[in-house]
Structure formats: C-alpha cells, structure tokens
Amino acid sequence: MRSTVDEQYKIPLIAKLLHTLPHYNITFHRTNSTFRPTDEVYLESLGILGSVPAALLIVSLFGLLLYLLTRCCDRKPRPAHSITSLKVTLSVVTVLCCAAIGLGLYGNDDLHNGLLEVLTAGRKVDNIISSVRNQTNILENTLSQRIRPQLVELADIFDQPASNQTALSLLIISLNAVQGNVTVATNAAGDIRRPLMGITMSSFLATGDKWELIRWPGTVAVLALLLVLCAVLLVGVARHSRCALILFSVCGLLAVTGSWLMSGLYLSTSVAVGDLCMDPADYLVSEAPNELPTEVLLYYTQCETARSNPFTQRLRESQNSINNARSAMNIVSKISLVLFKSSGLQPKLGAVMADLNISERLLTQLTAVVDCRIVHYSYLAATRGLCEGGLLGLVLMLIASFTAAILLTVMVWVDSHTWIYIRKRNEYAQVDEPTYISHQPVPNHQTMARTLPRNHNNGPPAISGSHTLQYPRNKQQEILAAQQHQQQQQNMRQLGTHTLGRLPSHNHSPHHGGGGKHGPNKTNGKYATLSKQCKTLEANDFY
C-alpha cells in the first residue's frame, strides 16, 4: 500500500494556464473558477469566454461585408502582375490553412486517445466496484441464507435429551458462538457493500462511448471538408477558374462561421477541463453519493500510507468472525457426533464447514480487491489521459480552429478581390474564308451587275481594292487577316489572266453551233466573273 511520489497526480502546466483565465459573469464581476458544472454562475462565465470568438466572427463578417460593398462594383481591369500577386498570396495562405487543419486533426486524435483512456479506466473502476458488491453480496447470502438455516436445524436436533448434560451445554454454547460469529460476519459484509450501492458508472460510460463515437469521426469529417475546400481554391488558382473561386467565396463564408463557432466551443471546454484538472479528487468528492464517505474517496484517489483502508476494520471483523465460527464449529462437530450418533449429523456439519470455507475465501479475495493500489492506478490513468493528453489535444484543436478561422477570413477576402478581375478569354472574331465568285453560279446579268459593278468607262467589271475586310483589333487576328488577303490576291492573279469570255477549261469546245446558244460571254450557261483588272473583292460582295 505504499505509494511513491511519482505515483501521485500532478497538475499539468496547461491546466494551470487555463485556470488562470478570468471568469466573469454577465455583470462582469469575477467569479470563482472552481469546476462546478451544476452552478449557473460558473456556466455563465464559461459562456462569456466562449462568446469572445463569436464576437470576432461578427467583426470579421462585418469587415468582409464592407469590403464587398466597396469592391463589388469595381470592374476596372487590373494589371497582370497584381492578379499574380493575389494568386501567390492565396496559395500561401491556403497552404498555411491546410497546415492548421492538419494540426486540428492531430489534436483531435490526441483528445480521442485521452478520452479512451478515461473510459477504459472508468470501466476498470466500475468492474472493481461491481466485483466488491457481488462478492459481499455472495458472502452475505452464504452466511445468512445457507449457514444460518443449517445452524437452526442443528439447534433443533440438539434440543433432544442427551446422556451427558455437561457436554450438551458445551455443545449449545459452541453452536451459539457459531451463530453469533456468522451474524457479525454478515453485518460486516453488508457494511462494506452498502456505501457502494449508489455508485453506478455504467450509464455514464455508455453515454461517453456514444458521444465519442459521434464526435471523433464528425470532427474528422468537418476538417476533411475544409481540406477539400482548400483544394478547390488551389485548383481554381492554378487553372485560373472563375467558377472555382466564386464557389470558394460562397462556401468559405460557411467555413469561416463554423471555424469561429468551433473556436468558442473549444475555448469554453478547454477552460472547463483546466478547472477540473486543478483538483479532480475534490470534484469526485462533491459528486459522490451521500452513502459514500469522503474518506473512502480520498483513500483511493491519494492512496497514501498515512490513510488507512476504510474497509479494513470491517474486513478484519468478518475474517475474525469466520475463524471463530470455524473453531466453534469444530467443537460442535466433536461433541455432537458423540452425543447424537444416530441423527445423521455428518452431512449437515460438513455442509456448514464447507460454507464457512467459501466465506473465508471470499473475504480473502475482498481484501485484495479493496486495496487502494488497483483503483488508484486507474484514477491516475484517467486523470492523466484527460488532463495531459486530452487537454493538450483540446488546446491544439482550439489553436487550429482559431488560426484556420483567421486564415479562412483572409482567404475569402483575397479570393473575393481576385475573381472580380478574372475575365473570360475573348474569343477571336470568326472570319469566313473567302468564297470566290468564280465558283458561284450567276443566273443572270442583273445579279452580275449587283455583284460586279462596272467602271465609269464602260470597261470590264472590276472590284475596288479600297473596300476590304476590316482587320480585327487583335494582333493575331490582324496577322490572320493579312495572310488571308495575300492568299486572296494570289488567287485573283491566277484567275485574272482570263477575260469574261470562255474559261480555259472550255477552250476545247467547238465555236460553231454553240455561240448562238450560249452567247458571247457564256460558257456552258455560266458567266465569267473575273477579268485582268480584278485585284481584290469588296467585303459586300460576299454577303
């Protein structure tokens, strides 16, 4: 039962720092920072601490609203280098935000492991308490429901007349001693079991398992969604995607709101756990049932040599009573077998001795179970899991959510400043390829006159080169138009060597018999449309 200094609970530094945070009520008066979850004033102080990130959320959203009101109508084109700097800023801040989210995942894992240690240690303590209750109940039932009725039957047998009254008197005295010792042992077992009847941890542990089964994967899912949102922003920056940036602006506002709210929740919870970790034993004493004495809890939470086991006295009384009952039962067996040979006492006496031996074994097991070291180790595992690993993970999640909230606010601001100046790429003007008139049929002279106006000197029809296709404003389009114009002139030079007479492809046709049919300027029913003077085509001639 000796306990070293290393086996005692030590208050972590993080718990001390969180406990020093001022606790104020709604009237801004400082309150007691002792962990009291049932006290309305204490809960009010935690709510005020948690409202600080909520106030920062309101400030950040108001600032973003003012920015959007001033910039939403600004459509000025921005220089390329300024948008590039915004993209670089977005990329850097997004990477930092991903690192903060990763810190939150790490803290969530630490908190999960710490809570699992608390739940595991709680199950061990609950099993020990259940074992003590069960063994004392078995001991009490064995003594009161099995041994005592058998002693009553033996007393009825011993009421018969005997030849030796002195031996009979000694027999009755020994039997009464057995009954008295059994009663003392039964009462001692009841005294050990009675304070533990009100301690039930199974419902608390089941609730903790249920909430942790929801909290841990839920937190991982939320942080994973934030990582996906950051990935969408990086893709939008890399691909110059206006749609992705707008999507982040909308979803980023929800992310900012959620991050600030989680910061407030983590801050209140961290301070509450820090207050609890200042003196966990004191909280257990305050929450213990009235049937459980304070010295019992302090004995198991501290396990110091200066404190004696509160159950030791009752256990010793029970063990002494069982030993005295067995000694007296040996006397009863010797005398009764001599005085009452024909009464069949041997089975009854053997059953009583067997039950006394069972009771002695139960008391030996109880002595080992109620030792403080087993419960104390579980208590240390629970407090260290909650106040060291769990509280550290909770603080890391607080830092991560607070940092992510700030970075997400900056990202939404810069993103809203960036996508406004991202324009869709101007599509090049579609220029139809030239369709030469020589390839188009001309049904009559009126259409020919509209298509190819003649000169004032009644010369062959020509197309003025002063009316050409307008060049696009874009430099690449100008180059494309120039190349098309050169190709057009080359085609005109190739076709300009022929007059409005027959086309070369019809020179092999005979002149007689066909001139009257087709006319002088017809070739198989088609008019020639180009002459040597044709150099360019007017743009209107293509429409």
Side-chain angles (χ1 to χ4, degrees):
M1 296 176 60
R2 186 174 299 276
S3 173
T4 61
V5 178
D6 294 336
E7 295 172 347
Q8 297 299 320
Y9 171 73
K10 296 179 181 179
I11 303 175
L13 179 61
I14 300 178
K16 294 180 180 179
L17 294 177
L18 292 172
H19 184 69
T20 56
L21 291 177
H23 295 61
Y24 291 98
N25 58 9
I26 195 65
T27 59
F28 293 99
H29 290 84
R30 192 157 186 172
T31 62
N32 187 8
S33 59
T34 304
F35 183 72
R36 304 181 311 277
T38 57
D39 189 0
E40 294 182 357
V41 178
Y42 178 76
L43 296 177
E44 187 177 281
S45 64
L46 293 180
I48 291 176
L49 285 174
S51 63
V52 174
L56 295 177
L57 168 63
I58 295 174
V59 172
S60 62
L61 291 179
F62 183 73
L64 183 61
L65 177 62
L66 291 179
Y67 165 75
L68 293 177
L69 289 177
T70 56
R71 302 297 295 178
C72 65
C73 297
D74 186 5
R75 314 293 287 182
K76 296 187 303 181
R78 305 293 292 179
H81 64 84
S82 65
I83 297 180
T84 302
S85 63
L86 290 176
K87 289 183 177 181
V88 173
T89 303
L90 271 178
S91 301
V92 173
V93 176
T94 304
V95 172
L96 293 177
C97 185
C98 292
I101 295 172
L103 181 64
L105 289 172
Y106 181 81
N108 182 53
D109 190 63
D110 281 352
L111 178 60
H112 178 67
N113 294 332
L115 292 178
L116 288 182
E117 291 182 9
V118 173
L119 295 175
T120 302
R123 290 190 189 92
K124 291 181 179 180
V125 175
D126 188 60
N127 291 334
I128 292 174
I129 295 174
S130 299
S131 177
V132 173
R133 284 200 301 259
N134 293 334
Q135 291 186 15
T136 53
N137 189 28
I138 293 173
L139 176 61
E140 191 174 1
N141 291 333
T142 302
L143 295 173
S144 61
Q145 297 181 9
R146 296 179 61 179
I147 297 179
R148 189 173 293 174
Q150 293 173 355
L151 294 178
V152 172
E153 293 178 2
L154 291 175
D156 293 339
I157 295 174
F158 297 159
D159 286 340
Q160 299 176 6
S163 58
N164 191 342
Q165 294 296 323
T166 303
L168 181 61
S169 299
L170 181 60
L171 178 62
I172 297 299
I173 292 173
S174 299
L175 184 62
N176 291 332
V178 174
Q179 292 177 341
N181 286 311
V182 168
T183 301
V184 172
T186 303
N187 295 333
D191 292 339
I192 296 174
R193 181 174 56 87
R194 192 174 300 109
L196 304 178
M197 293 301 296
I199 303 177
T200 55
M201 301 177 62
S202 58
S203 60
F204 170 77
L205 296 174
T207 303
D209 287 332
K210 178 181 177 180
W211 281 105
E212 184 60 17
L213 187 63
I214 298 173
R215 188 207 63 82
W216 182 71
T219 304
V220 172
V222 171
L223 296 179
L225 287 177
L226 292 179
L227 287 177
V228 171
L229 189 61
C230 293
V232 169
L233 180 59
L234 289 176
V235 170
V237 171
R239 297 184 61 84
H240 204 72
S241 175
R242 180 186 178 95
C243 180
L245 297 181
I246 294 176
L247 176 63
F248 178 82
S249 296
V250 176
C251 297
L253 292 176
L254 299 177
V256 169
T257 304
S259 297
W260 281 118
L261 293 179
M262 285 192 298
S263 299
L265 177 63
Y266 292 151
L267 179 59
S268 300
T269 308
S270 300
V271 173
V273 175
D275 296 337
L276 171 63
C277 293
M278 292 299 296
D279 194 355
D282 181 67
Y283 171 71
L284 293 177
V285 170
S286 64
E287 295 296 322
N290 297 328
E291 296 81 7
L292 184 64
T294 303
E295 59 270 12
V296 174
L297 276 175
L298 295 179
Y299 169 74
Y300 285 105
T301 56
Q302 297 178 5
C303 195
E304 296 175 345
T305 55
R307 296 181 180 273
S308 60
N309 192 333
F311 299 117
T312 299
Q313 182 179 358
R314 306 302 293 169
L315 285 173
R316 287 177 180 175
E317 291 178 1
S318 184
Q319 285 179 343
N320 293 333
S321 299
I322 295 298
N323 291 331
N324 294 333
R326 187 169 55 247
S327 299
M329 198 63 197
N330 290 329
I331 297 175
V332 170
S333 298
K334 292 179 181 179
I335 297 176
S336 62
L337 290 177
V338 175
L339 293 179
F340 305 95
K341 295 181 179 180
S342 61
S343 300
L345 294 175
Q346 186 64 39
K348 299 182 184 302
L349 294 174
V352 172
M353 291 299 294
D355 290 337
L356 288 175
N357 292 332
I358 292 174
S359 300
E360 186 178 9
R361 286 196 298 269
L362 289 174
L363 286 173
T364 303
Q365 295 175 1
L366 276 174
T367 304
V369 171
V370 299
D371 186 72
C372 70
R373 287 176 293 183
I374 301 176
V375 178
H376 183 63
Y377 289 154
S378 299
Y379 167 76
L380 289 179
T383 52
R384 288 171 181 171
L386 178 64
C387 300
E388 293 181 4
L391 185 58
L392 177 61
L394 194 58
V395 171
L396 291 179
M397 295 177 68
L398 170 62
I399 296 173
S401 60
F402 187 82
T403 306
I406 296 177
L407 294 176
L408 284 171
T409 303
V410 175
M411 290 162 61
V412 171
W413 177 75
V414 179
D415 178 68
S416 301
H417 188 77
T418 302
W419 70 261
I420 294 177
Y421 302 109
I422 294 179
R423 298 288 183 268
K424 295 182 179 179
R425 295 183 179 180
N426 295 326
E427 298 180 355
Y428 294 127
Q430 297 296 329
V431 180
D432 296 334
E433 294 184 0
T435 304
Y436 300 108
I437 303 175
S438 59
H439 298 166
Q440 299 177 355
V442 181
N444 50 39
H445 292 281
Q446 286 80 7
T447 305
M448 184 69 184
R450 289 195 303 268
T451 305
L452 297 176
R454 303 183 65 84
N455 293 334
H456 296 288
N457 297 328
N458 295 325
I463 300 174
S464 174
S466 60
H467 302 283
T468 58
L469 291 175
Q470 294 182 354
Y471 295 161
R473 298 178 181 179
N474 192 292
K475 187 175 180 179
Q476 294 180 355
Q477 294 177 346
E478 292 177 358
I479 296 174
L480 180 62
Q483 293 177 353
Q484 292 177 352
H485 182 62
Q486 293 177 1
Q487 182 67 27
Q488 179 183 354
Q489 290 182 347
Q490 183 178 357
N491 294 334
M492 294 301 159
R493 285 193 296 268
Q494 293 176 357
L495 296 175
T497 55
H498 306 283
T499 61
L500 293 177
R502 299 179 184 270
L503 292 176
S505 58
H506 302 284
N507 289 336
H508 63 277
S509 301
H511 293 284
H512 59 275
K517 182 179 180 181
H518 299 288
N521 291 330
K522 286 186 178 182
T523 305
N524 295 330
K526 296 182 180 180
Y527 289 95
T529 56
L530 297 177
S531 63
K532 293 183 179 181
Q533 287 84 357
C534 294
K535 298 301 182 181
T536 59
L537 295 176
E538 291 183 359
N540 296 329
D541 294 331
F542 290 95
Y543 304 97

